[in-house]
């Protein structure tokens, strides 16, 4: 308990991998992630049963699949979090290149599963969404470029990372997947801000995003339809947003009771994009606040630990990964309560989805690896040594 409150202690030389990992990992964040996964299973027991019945499958078919992919995600997360920053960087860069090639191939081998956006590659027995796996790799790749720009005689890493970001956002917009494109742009902007970007440049980037949104609205029927639905002051009760809004209102503070919710029978994406509506209806505001608090623990603690990190690569990459995790949760819940246009984005580690779960496990593994306590990894160590030397 002392380590969880005051921070982990530095690893000992020659210490075995597992004890070393346990000493240095952020146990509060790790516990919060485990609790989010358990809540996801709990909600899956309610939300996925109607879908299984509609598809002629056993009642808990999707729950078993979520347990399977969730177990893979958790094991992957723990194994990845044991890696050193150098190995995480290599894995992230390699994964980014592979996912970028997969996204480039989507127009030729991808499928939309009738949802109007070509985001998946069907393998017959399963499907993969490359953009989910691209995100953690993109953050690591961009952080590597940004950190390299600070080295003497280093490459123009910031400009290079910006070019890569624009390319990725363009490829995602072609699917179209504007939600993931916005998430990529937002995480890169925050990393660039931490790297010392001038405010005037960031303002220019914001203006560019608004301009791109205007162009997308006038050229993409998919994008325009979602924006029009969001701006419409009246909510059609027969739409997904209408069902979700009614479910949240019905839930109140304490919910209508376990298994008593009705929204899961109406919403086709109740187990994925609108899982928070199921939580609000059956368990009420109490569970929703608990979920928000758990996401805050992971995100805020990561930022606080990264503040004292003196390695620029670790600081930039950790910031981007924490931002990805927190902003995706914010977007998902914002859509459900109609604060944001519909994005088709899952709630990390809570929503059903093999690609989403495993990719989140990889991203959180990267984040836990970057936020581990390392010998002399604190800026205060440097200041302390200077004071003692003076």
């Amino acid at each position: 308990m002392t380590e969880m409150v005051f921070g982990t202690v530095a690893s000992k030389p020659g210490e075995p991998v597992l004890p070393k990992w346990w000493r240095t990992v952020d146990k509060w964040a790790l516990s919060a992630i485990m609790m989010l996964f358990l809540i996801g299973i709990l909600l899956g027991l309610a939300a996925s049963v109607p879908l299984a019945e509609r598809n002629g499958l056993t009642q808990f078919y999707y729950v078993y699949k979520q347990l399977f992919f969730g177990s893979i995600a958790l094991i992957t997360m723990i194994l990845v979090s044991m890696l050193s920053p150098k190995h995480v960087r290599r894995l992230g860069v390699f994964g980014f290149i592979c996912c970028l090639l997969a996204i480039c191939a989507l127009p030729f081998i991808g499928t939309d599963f009738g949802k109007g956006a070509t985001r998946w590659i069907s393998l017959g027995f399963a499907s993969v969404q490359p953009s989910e796996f691209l995100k953690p790799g993109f953050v690591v790749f961009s952080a590597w470029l940004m950190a390299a720009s600070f080295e003497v005689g280093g490459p123009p890493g910031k400009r290079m990372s910006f070019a890569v970001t624009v390319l990725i956002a363009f490829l995602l917009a072609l699917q179209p997947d504007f939600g993931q494109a916005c998430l990529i742009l937002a995480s890169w902007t925050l990393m660039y801000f931490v790297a010392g970007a001038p405010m005037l440049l960031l303002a220019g980037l914001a203006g560019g995003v608004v301009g791109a949104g205007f162009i997308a609205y006038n050229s993409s029927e998919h994008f325009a339809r979602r924006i029009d639905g969001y701006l419409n002051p009246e909510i059609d009760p027969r739409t997904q947003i209408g069902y979700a809004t009614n479910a949240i209102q019905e839930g109140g503070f304490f919910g209508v009771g376990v298994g008593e919710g009705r929204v899961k029978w109406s919403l086709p994406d109740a187990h994925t994009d609108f899982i928070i509506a199921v939580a609000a209806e059956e368990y009420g505001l109490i569970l929703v606040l608990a979920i928000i608090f758990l996401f805050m623990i992971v995100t805020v603690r990561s930022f606080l630990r990264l503040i004292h990190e003196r390695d620029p690569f670790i600081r930039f990459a950790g910031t981007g990964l924490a931002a990805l995790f927190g902003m995706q949760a914010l977007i998902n819940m914002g859509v459900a309560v109609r604060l944001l246009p519909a994005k088709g984005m899952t709630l990390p580690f809570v929503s059903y989805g093999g690609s989403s779960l495993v990719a989140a496990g990889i991203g959180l593994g990267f984040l836990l690896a970057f936020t581990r306590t390392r010998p002399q990894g604190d800026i205060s160590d440097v200041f302390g040594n200077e004071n003692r030397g003076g």
Side-chain angles (χ1 to χ4, degrees):
M1 175 60 80
T2 303
E3 291 181 8
M4 292 184 74
V5 175
F6 295 104
T8 52
V9 296
S11 59
K12 301 175 181 178
E15 191 173 14
V17 173
L18 191 58
K20 178 180 178 180
W21 171 80
W22 182 248
R23 281 178 176 273
T24 56
V25 75
D26 185 350
K27 299 179 185 63
W28 279 107
L30 183 63
S31 300
I33 293 166
M34 296 293 185
M35 291 181 69
L36 284 171
F37 175 67
L38 292 177
I39 289 174
I41 296 298
L42 176 67
L43 295 177
L45 288 169
S48 65
V49 171
L51 179 65
E53 291 187 4
R54 285 197 295 268
N55 293 336
L57 302 169
T58 58
Q59 274 195 330
F60 301 115
Y61 173 81
Y62 292 104
V63 178
Y64 295 145
K65 286 191 69 175
Q66 188 170 3
L67 279 169
F68 173 73
F69 286 112
S71 299
I72 294 175
L74 290 174
I75 293 170
T76 302
M77 179 187 72
I78 292 173
L79 291 176
V80 169
S81 68
M82 294 180 182
L83 299 176
S84 67
K86 180 192 298 184
H87 289 100
V88 170
R89 185 187 66 207
R90 291 174 179 172
L91 180 61
V93 171
F94 176 75
F96 168 74
I97 294 173
C98 292
C99 292
L100 178 59
L101 293 175
I103 285 180
C104 291
L106 277 177
F108 309 101
I109 62 174
T111 181
D112 63 355
F113 289 112
K115 296 187 177 183
T118 307
R119 303 175 185 174
W120 296 270
I121 295 176
S122 178
L123 303 177
F125 60 91
S127 61
V128 177
Q129 188 174 350
S131 61
E132 290 287 353
F133 295 92
L134 175 85
K135 291 182 293 186
F138 163 78
V139 168
V140 172
F141 184 76
S142 296
W144 178 44
L145 291 177
M146 289 185 186
S149 67
F150 287 89
E151 298 176 1
V152 178
K158 293 180 182 178
R159 289 196 294 270
M160 292 169 67
S161 69
F162 174 70
V164 172
T165 303
V166 173
L167 172 63
I168 296 301
F170 176 74
L171 291 173
L172 290 174
L174 287 179
Q175 295 182 8
D177 193 348
F178 296 103
Q180 299 285 16
C182 290
L183 195 57
I184 288 288
L185 288 169
S187 60
W188 179 86
T189 301
L190 184 57
M191 292 166 63
Y192 198 22
F193 174 77
V194 172
M199 293 302 296
L200 185 61
L201 177 59
L202 294 179
L205 289 174
V209 170
V210 173
F214 180 77
I215 294 172
Y217 179 82
N218 288 282
S219 59
S220 172
E221 182 181 348
H222 176 83
F223 184 78
R225 186 170 60 251
R226 293 198 170 190
I227 295 298
D228 289 340
Y230 171 68
L231 295 177
N232 190 343
E234 296 184 2
I235 303 176
D236 186 345
R238 295 166 298 178
T239 62
Q240 293 198 92
I241 293 294
Y243 289 128
T245 302
N246 182 68
I248 293 170
Q249 292 173 345
E250 289 292 327
F253 281 97
F254 303 105
V256 297
V258 180
E260 299 298 320
R262 305 304 305 168
V263 70
K264 59 195 177 186
W265 297 97
S266 307
L267 273 174
D269 294 326
H271 63 311
T272 54
D273 301 354
F274 291 93
I275 192 74
I276 199 70
V278 176
E281 184 181 33
E282 297 203 359
Y283 298 91
L285 181 63
I286 301 300
L287 182 61
V288 174
L289 291 177
I291 293 172
I292 293 173
F293 181 66
L294 291 172
F295 278 107
M296 286 180 62
I297 287 178
V298 179
T299 307
V300 175
R301 279 192 63 87
S302 297
F303 284 144
L304 291 175
R305 291 168 78 94
L306 290 165
I307 286 174
H308 303 289
E309 178 58 59
R310 63 184 181 185
D311 186 321
F313 165 70
I314 295 175
R315 192 163 62 249
F316 301 156
T319 297
L321 290 166
L324 270 178
F325 183 71
M327 286 191 295
Q328 182 166 336
L330 184 65
I331 290 172
N332 175 277
M333 290 185 277
V335 168
V337 297
R338 209 166 177 255
L339 288 175
L340 295 170
K343 293 287 192 302
M345 197 172 292
T346 58
L347 190 61
F349 252 79
V350 178
S351 296
Y352 170 85
S355 292
S356 175
L357 276 169
V358 177
I362 294 172
L364 288 169
F366 287 173
L367 181 60
L368 290 172
F370 288 136
T371 56
R372 283 170 56 187
T373 302
R374 280 171 293 278
Q376 299 181 353
D378 219 334
I379 288 179
S380 60
D381 294 338
V382 179
F383 295 148
N385 291 332
E386 290 178 352
N387 292 334
R388 287 191 292 271

